[in-house]
């Protein structure tokens, strides 16, 4: 429960999004950037498709590669989603809204648990259950499912958007 103290509070608290607003953004977003600890201490940030089940994020990847090696080496990651970023030239600013998540990853090894892959497929192909189940069956053995258990999340929006609500 004391995990929240491990993360810095937002400096501009008036721009902070509520927990529900954060969840809404994660539910509707289709991609974000996963940041991991890469080789030789270099950060590695990679764009990813994902699904959010209201308590964790679910990703998929190949059985080999930099991303998988990185999360196996260090399970602490962050994930950022930009919901909106509209440039307002006359004001020299952007009207933005974003969420960043911090947590720990683990790999789903159990075949039954690995069916979480269906959550991802349903997000991107909601009206074709037969097709997505066939695709999952075809790719199941060569796909790794990464789960990010959320420890902390924080969302922020420009003051201009905050003032509109």
């Amino acid at each position: 429960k004391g995990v929240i103290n491990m993360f810095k509070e937002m400096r501009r608290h008036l721009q902070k999004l509520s927990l529900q607003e954060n969840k809404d953004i994660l539910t509707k977003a289709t991609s974000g950037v996963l940041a991991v600890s890469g080789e030789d201490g270099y950060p590695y940030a990679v764009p990813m498709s994902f699904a959010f089940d209201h308590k964790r994020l679910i990703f998929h990847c190949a059985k080999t590669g930099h991303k998988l090696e990185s999360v196996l080496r260090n399970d602490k990651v962050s994930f950022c989603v930009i919901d909106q970023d509209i440039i307002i030239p006359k004001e020299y600013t952007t009207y933005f809204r974003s969420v960043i998540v911090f947590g720990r990853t683990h790999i789903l090894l159990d075949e039954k648990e690995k069916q979480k892959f269906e959550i991802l497929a349903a997000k991107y192909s909601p009206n074709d259950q037969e097709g997505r189940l066939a695709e999952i069956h075809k790719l199941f053995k060569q796909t790794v499912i990464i789960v990010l258990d959320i420890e902390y999340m924080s969302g922020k929006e420009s003051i201009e958007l905050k003032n509109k609500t």
Side-chain angles (χ1 to χ4, degrees):
K1 295 268 182 196
V3 173
I4 234 171
N5 296 330
M6 294 171 40
F7 300 96
K8 291 188 182 259
E9 287 297 316
M10 186 178 300
R11 193 173 48 84
R12 294 186 171 190
H13 58 73
L14 293 177
Q15 293 175 253
K16 186 175 183 174
L17 296 175
S18 70
L19 179 59
Q20 187 58 52
E21 289 169 316
N22 291 335
K23 288 181 174 185
D24 291 345
I25 290 169
L26 292 174
T27 299
K28 75 176 186 174
T30 57
S31 64
V33 177
L34 180 67
V36 299
S37 179
E39 289 185 50
D40 295 325
Y42 284 98
Y44 178 58
V46 59
M48 299 282 296
S49 299
F50 73 101
F52 174 59
D53 73 357
H54 298 283
K55 60 185 175 204
R56 58 193 176 175
L57 301 177
I58 300 162
F59 309 94
H60 74 287
C61 68
K63 287 190 166 190
T64 60
H66 193 172
K67 174 179 36 238
L68 183 59
E69 290 170 11
S70 296
V71 299
L72 290 172
R73 185 175 40 256
N74 184 347
D75 67 345
K76 292 180 180 178
V77 302
S78 67
F79 186 73
C80 178
V81 171
I82 298 172
D83 179 55
Q84 179 177 313
D85 187 32
I86 300 170
I87 298 170
I88 311 298
K90 290 182 179 183
E91 296 178 28
Y92 297 94
T93 192
T94 63
Y95 289 5
F96 67 88
R97 184 178 296 114
S98 62
V99 174
I100 188 164
V101 169
F102 296 89
R104 291 178 178 253
T105 57
H106 67 274
I107 307 302
L108 293 184
L109 299 173
D110 178 79
E111 295 248 339
K112 232 177 199 174
E113 271 290 292
K114 197 174 166 188
Q115 292 296 334
K116 301 289 184 199
F117 192 23
E118 213 278 327
I119 293 170
L120 274 165
K123 179 173 183 171
Y124 296 92
S125 185
N127 300 320
D128 184 17
Q129 183 178 17
E130 186 179 324
R132 72 177 181 253
L133 292 176
E135 189 72 8
I136 289 169
H137 179 74
K138 182 173 82 175
L139 300 174
F140 194 79
K141 297 270 188 234
Q142 63 199 50
T143 302
V144 173
I145 302 298
I146 301 171
V147 174
L148 191 168
D149 294 309
I150 298 171
E151 294 180 348
Y152 182 75
M153 79 170 85
S154 179
K156 183 178 178 180
E157 68 182 348
S158 66
I159 197 70
E160 294 84 1
L161 291 176
K162 194 58 132 177
N163 289 338
K164 282 184 178 180
T165 58

